[in-house]
Amino acid sequence: MYGYHGRVMLVDLGSRTVRWESLGEDVLRHFIGGSGLGAYLLYRYCAPNCDPLSPENPLIFATSPLVGSRLTTSSKFAVVAKSPLTGMIGDSLSSSFIATELKKTGSDAIVITGRSSSPTLLAITDDAVEFRDASSLVGMGTSETERAVKAQLGAMYRVASIGPAGENLVRFAGIANDGGRQAGRTGPGAVMGSKNLKAIAVRGHSAVSFAEPEALNDIRTDLSRRSLGDATEKYRTLGTMANVSVFNRLGALPTRNFQQSTFEGVETVSGETFQKSHHVKNAHCASCTIGCEHILTTTDNGAKTTGRMEYQSSFAMGPLVGVNDPNTVIRASALCDEMGMDTISAGGTIAWAMECFENGTLTPKDTGGADLRFGDGDALLELLEMIADRNGLGDVLAEGSRRAAETLGRGSDEWAMHVKGLEMPGYEPRSLKTMALALSVSTRGACHNRSSAYEADFSNRVDRLSVDEERGRIAMEGEDYSAVMDSLTWCKFLRKAFDDFYGESSIIYEHLTGWPTTPDDLKLAGERINNLKKLFNIREGWTREDDTLPPRVLNEELQTGIVKGIGLTRPDLDMMIDGYYQARGWTEEGLVPEGKLEELQLVDLVSQHRANRNAAPALR
């Protein structure tokens, strides 16, 4: 077999056993790798209706056929589990050298189940798996953990770890890896913490072979050249932080918990300001020629802090919570990385708490006497520490905005800005209507990365301020396109460097694997992957009512910027959702009909796992 190893490693932390199972050609071709293969393995190995923080929830690390090819941006892996935030499928992607080491262990994925009786370091060297005591690592931040593990095992090991947030089961905890890169969204760090697994160290020597290495060499050179063209200049110069100013001009920058769509302090936390006054250097992910990572440092009289920064972190630690001090934004983002927390969910949950305090729903008695007002950078930093440690009010906020609002009550769910439990990213849905639809129907919750719908809004393809049924097909095509990117796996920053994404990717896949592949084969795989993710969610209790947006988005018009007076009604959203279901070939209730399962060759998989499990039916 070329491009793959054709097997998955199964690790049970409770019994401390390891076994391997085969992955056949049909599975690999149907689900490719990355988030697609991870979705297949989750559907197969996750006990239906299990608690996401129970031993039965598998934590899956999946590589892809591109990993090890040295094609630019190809060193990515997916982390997949049932999400502690949403109770539905959770998947995160990260780019780092740990992807190549995972691939070199001789497996295409690792599925970790069970719960260790004590803090554990899982050390994987090729086929050898060692369960090491990690008691000495407990309480360490992610970077300190990585240094300590390498001191034990050797500098050549690549490490994925959780910080205090993961240990304390913060529901939006992430997994740090390879120098601070994050698999952040949907709470995989909490799943890792629930298993008493502090860190994973990987070192492999089983390089996979490719069907046509010489042809790949030619493509590698050409694609690297294209990756340095105009299509990626934005990422190399200001990075995604350039979006702060652009979105503000368009009235699409969520501010103060989505109460406004522009931020009056935008200049001080813009990408231009960060680049001019705080930039240290650019950094590259493994096997990447673009170098989009921007390393920033503080410049005030406080403790020197240096860390990575991109748009979503700068938005969530800045405008979303009303903070306009760039040094505070850098510190807050770096603190999230060190504690092991998703910046978007952390910022979104704190923004909810700040609004609760300002409108009197939270009182000084609830906050231990602290003021939680928008723009208070000290309060932001203190709350992040409290969340990671589950201390005081932080214990409530560690549950995420949906559960925090359920706990507090008092009508606070009206401004809890989440979809399916996952906090909203930095896109204002009322001024980006295609993106609004994509956020509402995403299987992952409020996710900007599993669809390219925002590209339609920022182009001349549609009027971003109006709605129509055609948005459904646009959102569907964006999801399927993203599924293929996330499964092969390509970095999305490379997408515009392709002249014909499906055509070129199918040729590359054929060179990798030796399997004849057409563009339509890849398109079908993207559709199959998204349908399987939906089937998983249906099995776990999804209904059409879950495809929605926060009440604020559907009940309040925008009050600032060039989009003042623009809103989104429930009937308008329902109309777009109807168009999306129709484009998908689903029922009016968003369920997957038998004919669609047959078309996508999913009947056997669904039937096999329905036959002997007491699960909610995937079809109705």
Side-chain angles (χ1 to χ4, degrees):
M1 182 177 287
Y2 294 108
Y4 297 100
H5 295 290
R7 67 176 190 167
V8 56
M9 177 189 292
L10 302 166
V11 178
D12 187 321
L13 289 168
S15 62
R16 299 206 164 196
T17 57
V18 182
R19 61 190 177 91
W20 287 263
E21 288 190 0
S22 296
L23 290 172
E25 178 182 332
D26 58 337
V27 169
L28 296 172
R29 297 193 72 168
H30 282 174
F31 301 102
I32 305 177
S35 65
L37 180 59
Y40 165 81
L41 294 171
L42 184 68
Y43 192 89
R44 179 175 174 183
Y45 290 108
C46 182
N49 305 309
C50 75
D51 185 323
L53 298 178
S54 71
E56 290 76 27
N57 187 16
L59 180 65
I60 300 163
F61 291 77
T63 65
S64 77
L66 283 174
V67 174
S69 68
R70 294 186 296 113
L71 288 159
T72 187
T73 79
S74 63
S75 291
K76 296 177 75 73
F77 66 99
V79 182
V80 184
K82 185 177 179 181
S83 169
L85 270 178
T86 70
M88 299 182 187
I89 190 167
D91 65 295
S92 294
L93 292 168
S94 189
S95 299
S96 75
F97 285 101
I98 202 169
T100 55
E101 292 303 320
L102 283 167
K103 186 76 171 279
K104 288 193 292 184
T105 63
S107 298
D108 298 304
I110 300 173
V111 177
I112 303 170
T113 56
R115 184 181 191 273
S116 177
S117 60
S118 60
T120 297
L121 162 63
L122 192 66
I124 302 172
T125 309
D126 300 320
D127 282 350
V129 179
E130 186 178 0
F131 301 85
R132 287 177 162 245
D133 177 60
S135 298
S136 63
L137 305 176
V138 172
M140 289 185 180
T142 57
S143 63
E144 186 181 5
T145 299
E146 182 170 335
R147 289 193 297 269
V149 170
K150 289 190 172 188
Q152 280 188 42
L153 300 176
M156 297 307 293
Y157 276 82
R158 300 294 178 174
V159 180
S161 68
I162 56 174
E167 294 174 25
N168 293 321
L169 308 186
V170 174
R171 288 184 183 268
F172 45 86
I175 299 174
N177 58 97
D178 203 19
R181 293 175 176 87
Q182 305 290 325
R185 302 229 74 193
T186 72
V191 177
M192 191 162 164
S194 73
K195 298 184 180 305
N196 232 343
L197 181 60
K198 174 64 175 177
I200 302 168
V202 186
R203 180 83 172 113
H205 302 85
S206 302
V208 71
S209 57
F210 300 107
E212 299 180 56
E214 292 185 4
L216 285 173
N217 283 337
D218 293 337
I219 292 171
R220 184 183 303 118
T221 300
D222 180 54
L223 198 55
S224 294
R225 175 187 58 79
R226 282 190 272 164
S227 74
L228 297 175
D230 293 341
T232 62
E233 182 180 2
K234 161 187 169 180
Y235 306 116
R236 300 194 307 274
T237 53
L238 294 182
T240 57
M241 291 183 295
N243 291 346
V244 174
S245 295
V246 173
F247 286 15
N248 195 68
R249 288 196 299 271
L250 295 173
L253 179 64
T255 298
R256 295 183 185 87
N257 200 33
F258 287 76
Q259 293 183 83
Q260 295 93 35
S261 60
T262 58
F263 185 43
E264 71 282 356
V266 69
E267 290 185 5
T268 60
V269 291
S270 67
E272 292 81 359
T273 295
F274 279 125
Q275 182 72 15
K276 179 180 179 180
S277 302
H278 300 272
H279 183 258
V280 176
K281 63 179 180 178
N282 282 18
H284 294 249
C285 294
S287 302
C288 177
T289 48
I290 297 173
C292 72
E293 260 190 326
H294 290 253
I295 309 300
L296 306 180
T297 192
T298 53
T299 58
D300 59 7
N301 294 326
K304 181 70 72 175
T305 301
T306 301
R308 294 174 170 83
M309 185 71 72
E310 39 73 47
Y311 168 66
Q312 294 297 342
S313 294
S314 59
F315 137 80
M317 299 293 115
L320 187 62
V321 290
V323 170
N324 63 5
D325 174 34
N327 293 294
T328 298
V329 174
I330 293 170
R331 286 194 177 91
S333 178
L335 182 59
C336 285
D337 286 350
E338 188 61 21
M339 295 296 100
M341 292 189 292
D342 172 36
T343 54
I344 300 175
S345 283
T349 304
I350 289 173
W352 168 85
M354 287 177 166
E355 183 169 355
C356 287
F357 187 85
E358 289 201 348
N359 67 26
T361 308
L362 271 178
T363 68
K365 181 179 178 181
D366 299 311
T367 66
D371 281 354
L372 303 182
R373 299 188 182 279
F374 287 113
D376 189 333
D378 291 337
L380 170 65
L381 295 171
E382 184 178 358
L383 276 175
L384 290 173
E385 294 270 13
M386 291 172 67
I387 290 170
D389 294 334
R390 279 190 174 268
N391 177 31
L393 179 62
D395 189 37
V396 176
L397 301 184
E399 294 292 295
S401 60
R402 178 172 68 176
R403 287 178 175 83
E406 290 171 353
T407 298
L408 179 62
R410 308 173 196 171
S412 62
D413 59 322
E414 289 292 312
W415 54 88
M417 303 302 292
H418 68 85
V419 175
K420 302 179 179 72
L422 185 66
E423 283 70 27
M424 299 270 283
Y427 295 84
E428 173 48 70
R430 286 164 287 188
S431 60
L432 301 167
K433 295 301 200 301
T434 319
M435 192 63 191
L437 171 61
L439 291 170
S440 71
V441 299
S442 172
T443 55
R444 197 165 78 143
C447 172
H448 64 289
N449 259 334
R450 297 299 176 264
S451 171
S452 58
Y454 53 82
E455 291 194 333
D457 287 324
F458 290 133
S459 70
N460 294 323
R461 184 176 179 183
V462 297
D463 174 7
R464 66 187 177 92
L465 301 179
S466 66
V467 298
D468 57 65
E469 289 186 351
E470 182 57 23
R471 305 302 171 99
R473 181 162 297 281
I474 294 173
M476 178 201 73
E477 291 173 351
E479 284 182 338
D480 292 350
Y481 170 84
S482 294
V484 174
M485 291 207 85
D486 294 340
S487 300
L488 276 171
T489 52
W490 295 113
C491 173
K492 290 190 175 67
F493 293 167
L494 188 68
R495 63 192 184 280
K496 293 183 180 179
F498 290 101
D499 296 322
D500 174 7
F501 171 74
Y502 285 111
E504 292 177 59
S505 292
S506 63
I507 291 170
I508 290 169
Y509 187 76
E510 189 167 329
H511 290 334
L512 291 167
T513 65
W515 297 330
T517 305
T518 68
D520 286 341
D521 290 334
L522 291 184
K523 290 179 181 179
L524 188 63
E527 184 181 6
R528 181 182 298 113
I529 289 164
N530 280 314
N531 273 264
L532 183 60
K533 289 180 178 182
K534 183 60 175 292
L535 288 166
F536 179 88
N537 284 356
I538 294 171
R539 194 185 79 181
E540 300 307 306
W542 174 93
T543 67
R544 175 167 177 147
E545 286 70 33
D546 292 306
D547 282 358
T548 189
L549 290 170
R552 164 161 288 154
V553 172
L554 299 177
N555 298 331
E556 299 176 17
E557 292 185 342
L558 295 172
Q559 299 301 317
T560 61
I562 62 173
V563 293
K564 184 175 181 179
I566 297 295
L568 176 63
T569 66
R570 177 78 246 187
D572 281 346
L573 180 61
D574 280 340
M575 179 263 289
M576 291 195 293
I577 291 174
D578 286 341
Y580 171 79
Y581 291 169
Q582 290 168 13
R584 280 261 174 242
W586 295 345
T587 71
E588 292 182 356
E589 293 304 311
L591 300 171
V592 185
E594 192 75 35
K596 178 58 68 173
L597 290 185
E598 293 173 354
E599 176 187 335
L600 298 175
Q601 298 175 276
L602 289 171
V603 173
D604 289 345
L605 176 63
V606 172
S607 299
Q608 174 186 351
H609 294 281
R610 187 192 299 161
N612 56 4
R613 291 179 174 180
N614 182 24
L619 304 173
R620 297 176 197 171

